[in-house]
Amino acid sequence: MNIGLIGLGNIGVHFGTRLLAAGHDLVVFDRNADAQQRLVDKGAKACDSARGMADQVEIVLLCLPMPRIVADVAAEVAQGSAVRIVLDLSTTGPSVTREIETLLTPQGIALVGAPVSGGTVAAERGTLAVMPAGPDAAYQEVEPLLRVLGKNIFYLGADPTLGQTMKIINNTLYATSMVASCEALVYGVKAGLDAKTMLDVINVSSGRSFATLERIPQCVLDRSFPVRFTTELLHKDVKMCMDEAEKLGVPMQVNPAARQFLAFAISQGDGPRDNVVPIRHIEQWAGVQFGEAPAA
């Protein structure tokens, strides 16, 4: 397919790489020239604006960090003369997705909201979970692209907001389990348990989660803390979930505690750092450290 991709950051670059490797003609745009050049060097064609891209290709993919940025870019894309389908791979949230749908539909442009889960490693490997929702005909057309990007594809229906709802629920559950796991693991270290042994036990027992199975072993145990998904982006997703639940009159008592802890971590400068970095605050309060860097 002749397609366009807007947003070439930590995940978008992997999307572009995989689409090129699958043989698609790819037009790319990012306001960061260096990010754009990475994919041009791999064979993509550069474009200088979102509107310019929408005048060239029929399917535009979005992979952008914040809902308002997605909405602003979608408004530019809506003015294009060639685009027929917008495939939003960002975590945009249901309210802004509805706003974008209202913008695109009068122009004859179909919107498929297809947020993804799994992080940068899964994006690179093509093993992401993908949660598409939107008009069936448009979904059928973009499904081959989604199969290049992810492994587990769950079509959630014709309403493009449903994928976004599913994504913020998923990320909120991750955030809450991650914060709870950090607290419990730091407690275990202070009580005298070995950090790795704790993870080994938990990960074959009922307390396991994505945080204990992957994020904490890969990022905290060796104290490497690579940036895979920032604290500020995770906080954004959890806050969206709280806001959307409130609109529907659904009470939440436990998940807001995780949001509050993430907000505290951001106030301490952890916003651009990976979302497991805030374990350091718990460690500082407890006076112990979970895991250790390998010997030089």
Side-chain angles (χ1 to χ4, degrees):
M1 297 182 186
N2 185 24
I3 56 179
L5 173 61
I6 302 174
L8 311 173
N10 291 336
I11 290 199
V13 66
H14 296 305
F15 289 166
T17 300
R18 294 192 61 81
L19 291 166
L20 287 168
H24 295 289
D25 293 327
L26 184 65
V27 181
V28 295
F29 171 64
D30 195 291
R31 292 176 182 172
N32 183 318
D34 292 337
Q36 182 166 288
Q37 191 60 42
R38 286 187 298 180
L39 282 173
V40 171
D41 290 343
K42 295 180 179 181
K45 179 183 176 182
C47 188
D48 60 5
S49 70
R51 167 66 189 275
M53 178 181 292
D55 286 333
Q56 297 180 48
V57 303
E58 296 187 20
I59 301 176
V60 174
L61 284 62
L62 306 179
C63 183
L64 298 162
M66 303 297 286
R68 189 45 49 192
I69 296 174
V70 178
D72 290 346
V73 170
E76 293 183 46
V77 170
Q79 301 172 38
S81 59
V83 60
R84 296 185 296 105
I85 299 173
V86 170
L87 176 59
D88 181 19
L89 300 159
S90 322
T91 302
T92 304
S95 291
V96 174
T97 294
R98 183 70 74 203
E99 175 186 330
I100 294 169
E101 180 190 31
T102 303
L103 180 71
L104 296 177
T105 301
Q107 306 302 319
I109 304 169
L111 173 63
V112 177
V116 302
S117 180
T120 56
V121 173
E124 182 176 11
R125 296 174 179 171
T127 57
L128 290 164
V130 189
M131 302 157 236
D136 181 70
Y139 166 68
Q140 294 297 332
E141 195 164 347
V142 300
E143 183 188 15
L145 301 176
L146 298 179
R147 296 288 174 190
V148 173
L149 305 180
K151 179 180 179 182
N152 299 299
I153 315 294
F154 300 93
Y155 178 59
L156 298 171
D159 182 346
T161 69
L162 293 177
Q164 297 292 341
T165 300
M166 186 70 252
K167 174 62 187 291
I168 59 177
I169 289 171
N170 177 77
N171 278 20
T172 298
L173 287 173
Y174 162 71
T176 301
S177 64
M178 183 272 293
V179 173
S181 297
C182 288
E183 290 181 340
L185 291 167
V186 171
Y187 155 61
V189 169
K190 184 134 192 184
L193 288 167
D194 175 72
K196 184 178 184 304
T197 301
M198 270 195 290
L199 286 172
D200 290 342
V201 173
I202 289 168
N203 286 336
V204 293
S205 304
S206 57
R208 66 186 180 272
S209 66
F210 181 74
T212 64
L213 284 164
E214 297 202 26
R215 297 307 317 284
I216 293 172
Q218 294 171 1
C219 305
V220 183
L221 193 60
D222 65 357
R223 313 301 294 179
S224 60
F225 297 108
V227 179
R228 294 184 177 170
F229 192 66
T230 66
T231 303
E232 58 194 358
L233 287 178
L234 183 60
H235 176 267
K236 176 262 295 182
D237 293 352
V238 177
K239 185 179 184 303
M240 274 199 293
C241 188
M242 303 296 99
D243 292 344
E244 296 292 342
E246 183 177 2
K247 289 176 184 177
L248 293 179
V250 179
M252 289 197 174
Q253 303 297 325
V254 177
N255 294 315
R259 186 196 68 79
Q260 291 166 3
F261 178 68
L262 293 172
F264 164 77
I266 290 170
S267 76
Q268 302 303 301
D270 290 340
R273 301 185 180 117
D274 190 79
N275 64 75
V276 295
V277 167
I279 193 176
R280 291 173 172 171
H281 301 295
I282 303 170
E283 294 171 334
Q284 182 179 5
W285 298 330
V288 295
Q289 178 177 290
F290 181 85
E292 59 183 36

